[in-house]
Amino acid sequence: MTTLHAIILAAGQGTRMKSQLPKVLHPICGKPMIAYALETAAFTGVKKAVVVLSPGADEVKAMLPKDCKVAIQAKPMGTGDAVLSAKKALASTTSGHTLIMYADTPLLRRTTIQKLVQSHVKSGATCTLLTAHLADPTGYGRIMRNEHGRVIGIVEESDAHAAERAIREINIGPMICKTSALFE
């Protein structure tokens, strides 16, 4: 298998949780949420992981493995900006593929992410993402496709017009890209 890197997005403030504890440190079955993302990345064969944090996330940084790199997202400006924050940490890395995951999705199965990675590598695609079809997609980003069925974008519900909100295919979060094309 090819070289696999990971960007784990953990800069969210978790304001809806109404807790002083950073969201990704909330325990699920005795482990902080972020531990599941790190374990899943390792399970899929990740060689280099970069965790994107917000400024002042010292409590999260302190619990990360020593070999884990950290990137800081200066302002919360969305997923794309968070991924861009990891660019410097991956600057010397252009080979292989980069898995992008949210740190606050502990219920995703390791095998699901492993299958996403395997499917991506086998297909030769530049980018592959995990989607689902929901009867009620309220609150989720919608997958935009062109007339050939290819993904052309993701529209967040708050930015979507009525026709886009009617789309039932949603973004689950994890995606994998060829590292050489990721920051283009």
Side-chain angles (χ1 to χ4, degrees), residues 61-120:
K61 192 175 181 179
M63 68 77 46
L64 296 174
K66 301 260 185 269
D67 62 340
C68 190
K69 291 194 171 227
V70 171
I72 303 298
Q73 182 183 18
K75 293 181 183 177
M77 295 173 42
T79 301
D81 183 68
V83 170
L84 261 175
S85 298
K87 183 177 182 178
K88 186 176 179 183
L90 289 173
S92 63
T93 306
T94 58
S95 64
H97 303 271
T98 300
L99 174 66
I100 301 165
M101 298 174 50
Y102 295 119
D104 62 354
T105 54
L107 299 180
L108 285 174
R109 291 186 181 112
R110 292 176 177 181
T111 54
T112 300
I113 304 305
Q114 184 178 47
K115 287 176 185 175
L116 175 72
V117 170
Q118 290 169 345
S119 175
H120 169 77

Side-chain angles (χ1 to χ4, degrees), residues 8-30:
I8 299 174
L9 306 177
Q13 298 300 306
T15 53
R16 289 177 291 203
M17 297 189 82
K18 300 187 185 340
S19 171
Q20 295 300 312
L21 186 66
K23 175 170 55 173
V24 299
L25 293 185
H26 277 266
I28 306 292
C29 295

